[in-house]
Amino acid sequence: MSKPAIGFIGLGAMGFGMATHLLKEGYPVVGFDVWGPTLDRFKAAGGQTATTPGQAVKGCEFCICMVASAPQAQSALFETDDAAIKSLPKGSTLLLASTVPSAYATSVQTQLAALSRSDILFIDCPVSGGTARAATGELTIMAGGSDAALKHGHALLMDLTAPDKLFIVKGGIGAGSNMKMVHQVLAGAHVTAAGEALGFAARLGLDPKKTYELVTKEGCESWSWMFENRMARALTAEYKPAASALTIMLKDLGIITSTGRLSQFPTPLSAIAEQLFLSGVSLGWAGDDDSSMVRLYYPDALAAVQASSTSKLSEAERQQLVLDLLSAVHLVTAAEALAFTHALGLDVQQYFTLCADAAGASWSFRAHGPEIMALLTGTPSSVPAPDKVSLDARIDALSKVLVEAKNVGCPIYLGSEAMSALSLARRRVGGSVGEVKGLITGFWAAK
Amino acid sequence: MSKPAIGFIGLGAMGFGMATHLLKEGYPVVGFDVWGPTLDRFKAAGGQTATTPGQAVKGCEFCICMVASAPQAQSALFETDDAAIKSLPKGSTLLLASTVPSAYATSVQTQLAALSRSDILFIDCPVSGGTARAATGELTIMAGGSDAALKHGHALLMDLTAPDKLFIVKGGIGAGSNMKMVHQVLAGAHVTAAGEALGFAARLGLDPKKTYELVTKEGCESWSWMFENRMARALTAEYKPAASALTIMLKDLGIITSTGRLSQFPTPLSAIAEQLFLSGVSLGWAGDDDSSMVRLYYPDALAAVQASSTSKLSEAERQQLVLDLLSAVHLVTAAEALAFTHALGLDVQQYFTLCADAAGASWSFRAHGPEIMALLTGTPSSVPAPDKVSLDARIDALSKVLVEAKNVGCPIYLGSEAMSALSLARRRVGGSVGEVKGLITGFWAAK
């Protein structure tokens, strides 16, 4: 059976992989991008190309929009000369796969109605997983929309992902975008923490490659997907071309903090990560791969690290500090992410399942997630929690990190922010309580 | 009547001014410093010099120690060859004027006892006010010690300051250092906020000189002493030699955050300021004047600012954003500083009187201090508060700052941290409550 035609708008790092994967799956795909050379590459990969969004989608049963931001989507879909919506056939389906504020996804629905184009079925379906998974059809997809739209788009969505990676998010249009946003709370803090920890390791005179191996070793409690994925590249100090540019994560962090403000929900780790990305952009790194954020902490190439350091600690003690930094930040991030998800009315269990095996994953998230969810929802967890660490013990370990980082002249922004959250929690609930319970009841709880 | 002899250890930016002022007051002063050229300068100013701390204090009724840090004091007083304590005459008085952790001041007392030198009277008396006031005898002094020590040192302390600038801090040894520490909560956050605000102004395309005039105009609600003092120098972009080097404030911020951790008290603004100073030092600015921290936000000379900016707001709107940033950070700083002072068991009323006319002063501190103290102590204030601003209104104003800062590519660390504190408070107590009450009860209160 022949596959339906797809107009694909936005052939960037992610879009190009998705569109060429669809070609391999047998779809006729007409690609559009504002960057000419990309169109030539897409043609060479077997695709057809168009010079306007309208031309790309003409006669297509599906339109996938995978541009970098809401303003770009607004332009391509509605505002540019020969925008896509005018040319979309009656009854076709529009999939908005870009990461956008949920309020923008909702506005697309409204604009379709205002243009009397409610015949177009609309799916709000941001993705996660990076360029490699985009090209192999293994992305995590968070899809929201009407039953009719999800039914029409189901086969196509399934061809972009694996069966257990397609998450139908309850709540209609906007819910998929909100789910992606809260996924990025994890991804954004983890990528920043990864650079902070590896830069700290370098300042401590530790071999960054050995540190990388330690953190990515099976079962390491300081592991995150972002650390494993991004810091492999940081070791090479080759930051162009970007697999994911600073501007992409900066945009996602901005969606988180602005939605947090609108939702009256504090997101301190995301907020500090956003400022750090802004600093990176102001240093001229906008288009560099976000693994390069390690340079905020250690400006030279990591391969050039000398074993000498002003630290008087043993190598094992220094390694432990790096591990303790990561696990403390990951713990507070897990609390921020799940508490925000819950506050937005999303299904925390679905969120947990989604993130535990996506780019937002960390050992801490997987291990502590069930207890955090139980505290947030009031439903006891049946999953055994790892050995309890008290707030005091966590604070003591993180204190040692901050003291030694100062000795070796390394700033520790996320670790310091995590410390502020842990300290406030301790002030409210005491230090002998378990760290997870302490954080949720002492910091994130509304009262 | 002839004045008693003084051995003066540490002729740095502050010490040199104090020692030469004492010469003018008629004291015989023997100066010691590890930096030879300074001794020549001191000789030229009419002082005597010594080549060891012991030699400087020999036969002197008083020893003033004004080195840069606790490790330096420990070396000069106790550990170096020919350290001061061995040569101090029986019944003499030691004044430790350096800013040190209170635990270090206490340890000096203990060490004197262990050396069977409890005959030495000891005053813990850090100072504030900057190099200009050091040289004119107008420093603010925070003195703690035994009644006998304070009685013996009183005339000398009075000659270093004005009658209303000498604060005898209750609580004995360590109390003066704690009072200086909490003063620096204000000074440290204000100097960082000053650079953040003026750098933001430059990114907005505002004339930094006009912005400076606006903030320092009589009655401006965004004024701080630090902004007025430090940003005058930032306008010149001449950062050497330092009046107060980055390393000095970094040390003070480190005392605050480490004491905060020991006291189980969160100090989020001081914590982020400390990380920013660490970043500054890692950029090679350790010895530069701390007014140069503006370069974290705007790397070029402020005089070169072009009126062009990506901001679409009017000039008046942009100016308002800069003012709103400062007043929001100053408000949260006032809450952090007074709440920490109260938590340490210091007299908040004395602290308020001291800081309201010292380097820690700001319009917000002066205006909101009485209400904050009333909330902390449960004693109603008789001073009328300024017009009430709700938490929601403050958050809205600060949100606009963060949105526009992102538009023009300027990081806003302290503003973002203030937003996290305000947001957490709002989540706990609602947005319609007054900002001062909301912050104290929603963020700083223990329960």
Side-chain angles (χ1 to χ4, degrees):
Chain A
M1 198 177 100
S2 77
K3 303 237 174 169
I6 298 168
F8 202 107
I9 298 170
L11 299 169
M14 293 290 288
F16 192 88
M18 292 164 71
T20 48
H21 171 71
L22 289 171
L23 287 174
K24 284 180 211 142
E25 294 286 321
Y27 290 88
V29 183
V30 190
F32 168 75
D33 200 280
V34 291
W35 177 240
T38 299
L39 294 180
D40 298 336
R41 269 181 71 215
F42 188 60
K43 213 178 284 179
Q48 296 168 259
T49 60
T51 55
T52 64
Q55 198 186 327
V57 305
K58 190 158 279 173
C60 291
E61 192 174 329
F62 293 97
C63 168
I64 300 179
C65 180
M66 188 61 211
V67 296
S69 66
Q72 288 184 15
Q74 180 63 13
S75 171
L77 297 176
F78 296 103
E79 291 178 2
T80 191
D81 291 342
D82 199 22
I85 297 302
K86 281 181 228 161
S87 299
L88 262 180
K90 196 167 161 61
S92 60
T93 294
L94 168 66
L95 295 93
L96 180 58
S98 305
T99 298
V100 298
S102 67
Y104 178 71
T106 311
S107 87
V108 169
Q109 184 90 311
T110 314
Q111 291 179 79
L112 289 173
L115 294 167
S116 305
R117 288 305 310 269
S118 294
D119 62 291
I120 297 175
L121 298 167
F122 177 42
I123 305 178
D124 163 39
C125 55
V127 303
S128 173
T131 51
R133 288 186 180 176
T136 55
E138 297 173 287
L139 287 170
T140 298
I141 303 183
M142 293 142 266
S146 67
D147 290 347
L150 290 168
K151 190 176 166 193
H152 189 220
H154 193 262
L156 173 55
L157 288 168
M158 287 297 289
D159 279 336
L160 282 165
T161 183
D164 61 338
K165 293 287 183 70
L166 173 59
F167 292 85
I168 304 300
V169 185
K170 278 179 215 151
I173 294 300
S177 285
N178 266 339
M179 192 60 99
K180 171 67 195 274
M181 175 185 72
V182 284
H183 173 271
Q184 293 305 89
V185 172
L186 297 166
H190 291 171
V191 71
T192 315
E196 186 161 299
L198 202 58
F200 177 40
R203 293 243 181 216
L204 286 168
L206 291 170
D207 178 351
K209 194 157 170 291
K210 268 168 84 174
T211 306
Y212 180 82
E213 284 161 8
L214 197 67
V215 174
T216 55
K217 216 167 100 178
E218 183 73 34
C220 176
E221 301 191 1
S222 301
W223 173 86
S224 74
W225 188 95
M226 274 290 182
F227 188 98
E228 179 162 353
N229 181 272
R230 298 299 209 272
M231 292 305 104
R233 182 155 184 177
L235 291 174
T236 70
E238 270 298 320
Y239 299 123
K240 287 179 206 293
S244 187
L246 258 71
T247 46
I248 301 290
M249 189 59 84
L250 177 56
K251 170 187 60 80
D252 292 358
L253 288 165
I255 295 171
I256 294 164
T257 58
S258 58
T259 307
R261 292 195 291 269
L262 287 173
S263 315
Q264 314 206 338
F265 195 88
T267 55
L269 286 187
S270 303
I272 194 75
E274 181 184 17
Q275 300 309 319
L276 290 164
F277 269 78
L278 264 171
S279 284
V281 167
S282 83
L283 288 164
W285 308 343
D288 292 1
D289 193 75
D290 61 16
S291 56
S292 72
M293 287 286 287
V294 68
R295 289 176 293 181
L296 282 182
Y297 304 91
Y298 193 82
D300 304 322
L302 292 174
V305 171
Q306 300 294 322
S308 69
S309 160
T310 49
S311 176
K312 285 168 191 151
L313 303 178
S314 72
E315 185 177 344
E317 287 169 325
R318 285 176 281 151
Q319 282 175 343
Q320 191 58 47
L321 293 178
V322 175
L323 297 177
D324 286 347
L325 169 61
L326 283 167
S327 55
V329 173
H330 294 169
L331 169 75
V332 181
T333 302
E336 176 166 317
L338 278 158
F340 194 21
T341 301
H342 184 61
L344 290 168
L346 293 165
D347 177 348
V348 287
Q349 184 60 59
Q350 183 182 46
Y351 174 74
F352 178 74
T353 308
L354 188 165
C355 294
D357 195 28
S362 72
W363 183 93
S364 300
F365 182 80
R366 289 177 182 165
H368 297 302
E371 186 183 353
I372 297 174
M373 290 189 287
L375 289 161
L376 290 168
T377 61
T379 315
S381 164
S382 58
V383 183
D387 285 348
K388 284 263 196 303
V389 173
S390 70
L391 266 184
D392 270 343
R394 178 63 67 183
I395 287 170
D396 286 351
L398 189 52
S399 284
K400 293 197 180 85
V401 171
L402 295 172
V403 167
E404 192 61 14
K406 189 160 183 184
N407 285 345
V408 298
C410 185
I412 298 286
Y413 289 94
L414 265 78
S416 177
E417 196 67 44
M419 176 61 87
S420 291
L422 290 162
S423 299
L424 189 77
R426 178 173 61 176
R427 183 161 161 75
R428 292 183 185 279
V429 298
S432 55
V433 65
E435 56 180 353
V436 170
K437 187 172 178 189
L439 258 181
I440 294 297
T441 58
F443 191 89
W444 295 111
K447 294 286 164 196
Chain B
M1 197 179 99
S2 77
K3 304 238 174 166
I6 296 169
F8 203 108
I9 297 169
L11 299 168
M14 294 290 288
F16 192 88
M18 291 165 70
T20 48
H21 171 71
L22 289 171
L23 288 173
K24 283 180 211 140
E25 294 285 323
Y27 289 88
V29 183
V30 189
F32 168 75
D33 200 279
V34 292
W35 177 238
T38 300
L39 294 179
D40 299 336
R41 268 181 71 215
F42 189 61
K43 212 177 283 177
Q48 298 167 257
T49 60
T51 55
T52 64
Q55 198 187 328
V57 305
K58 190 157 279 175
C60 290
E61 192 174 330
F62 292 97
C63 168
I64 300 181
C65 180
M66 189 59 210
V67 295
S69 65
Q72 287 183 15
Q74 179 63 13
S75 171
L77 297 176
F78 296 102
E79 292 179 1
T80 190
D81 291 341
D82 200 22
I85 297 303
K86 282 179 225 160
S87 300
L88 262 178
K90 197 167 160 61
S92 61
T93 295
L94 167 66
L95 296 92
L96 180 59
S98 305
T99 298
V100 298
S102 68
Y104 178 71
T106 311
S107 86
V108 169
Q109 184 90 311
T110 314
Q111 291 179 81
L112 289 174
L115 294 167
S116 304
R117 289 305 311 269
S118 293
D119 62 290
I120 297 174
L121 298 166
F122 176 44
I123 305 178
D124 162 41
C125 55
V127 304
S128 172
T131 51
R133 289 185 179 176
T136 56
E138 297 173 289
L139 287 171
T140 297
I141 303 183
M142 293 141 267
S146 67
D147 289 347
L150 290 167
K151 192 176 166 195
H152 188 220
H154 193 262
L156 173 56
L157 287 168
M158 286 298 287
D159 278 337
L160 283 165
T161 182
D164 60 338
K165 292 287 183 69
L166 174 60
F167 292 84
I168 305 298
V169 184
K170 279 179 213 148
I173 293 301
S177 285
N178 265 340
M179 193 59 101
K180 172 66 195 276
M181 175 185 72
V182 284
H183 173 271
Q184 293 305 89
V185 172
L186 297 166
H190 291 170
V191 71
T192 315
E196 185 162 299
L198 202 58
F200 178 41
R203 293 244 179 214
L204 286 167
L206 292 170
D207 178 352
K209 193 156 172 290
K210 270 168 82 173
T211 305
Y212 180 83
E213 284 161 7
L214 197 67
V215 174
T216 55
K217 217 166 98 176
E218 183 72 36
C220 176
E221 302 191 359
S222 301
W223 173 86
S224 74
W225 187 95
M226 274 290 182
F227 188 99
E228 179 163 353
N229 181 273
R230 298 299 208 274
M231 293 305 105
R233 181 155 186 178
L235 292 174
T236 71
E238 270 298 321
Y239 299 124
K240 287 180 206 290
S244 187
L246 258 71
T247 45
I248 301 290
M249 189 59 84
L250 177 57
K251 170 187 61 81
D252 292 359
L253 288 166
I255 295 172
I256 295 164
T257 58
S258 57
T259 307
R261 292 195 291 269
L262 287 173
S263 315
Q264 314 207 339
F265 196 86
T267 56
L269 287 186
S270 303
I272 193 77
E274 181 184 17
Q275 300 309 319
L276 291 164
F277 269 79
L278 263 172
S279 284
V281 167
S282 82
L283 288 164
W285 306 344
D288 291 1
D289 194 76
D290 63 15
S291 56
S292 72
M293 287 287 287
V294 68
R295 291 177 291 182
L296 282 182
Y297 304 92
Y298 193 82
D300 304 321
L302 292 173
V305 171
Q306 301 294 320
S308 68
S309 160
T310 49
S311 176
K312 285 167 190 151
L313 303 177
S314 73
E315 186 177 343
E317 288 169 324
R318 284 177 282 152
Q319 282 174 342
Q320 191 57 49
L321 293 178
V322 176
L323 297 176
D324 286 346
L325 169 61
L326 284 167
S327 55
V329 173
H330 294 168
L331 169 74
V332 180
T333 302
E336 176 166 316
L338 279 158
F340 193 22
T341 302
H342 185 61
L344 290 168
L346 294 164
D347 177 347
V348 287
Q349 184 61 59
Q350 182 182 47
Y351 175 74
F352 178 73
T353 308
L354 189 164
C355 295
D357 195 28
S362 71
W363 183 93
S364 299
F365 182 79
R366 290 176 181 165
H368 297 301
E371 185 183 353
I372 296 173
M373 289 189 288
L375 288 161
L376 290 169
T377 62
T379 315
S381 164
S382 58
V383 184
D387 285 346
K388 284 263 196 305
V389 173
S390 70
L391 266 184
D392 270 343
R394 177 63 67 185
I395 286 171
D396 286 352
L398 188 53
S399 284
K400 293 197 180 86
V401 171
L402 294 173
V403 167
E404 192 61 12
K406 190 159 183 185
N407 285 343
V408 299
C410 185
I412 297 286
Y413 289 95
L414 266 78
S416 178
E417 196 66 43
M419 175 61 87
S420 291
L422 291 162
S423 299
L424 189 77
R426 178 173 63 177
R427 181 161 164 77
R428 291 182 185 280
V429 299
S432 55
V433 64
E435 55 180 353
V436 171
K437 185 170 180 193
L439 258 181
I440 294 297
T441 57
F443 192 88
W444 296 111
K447 295 287 164 197

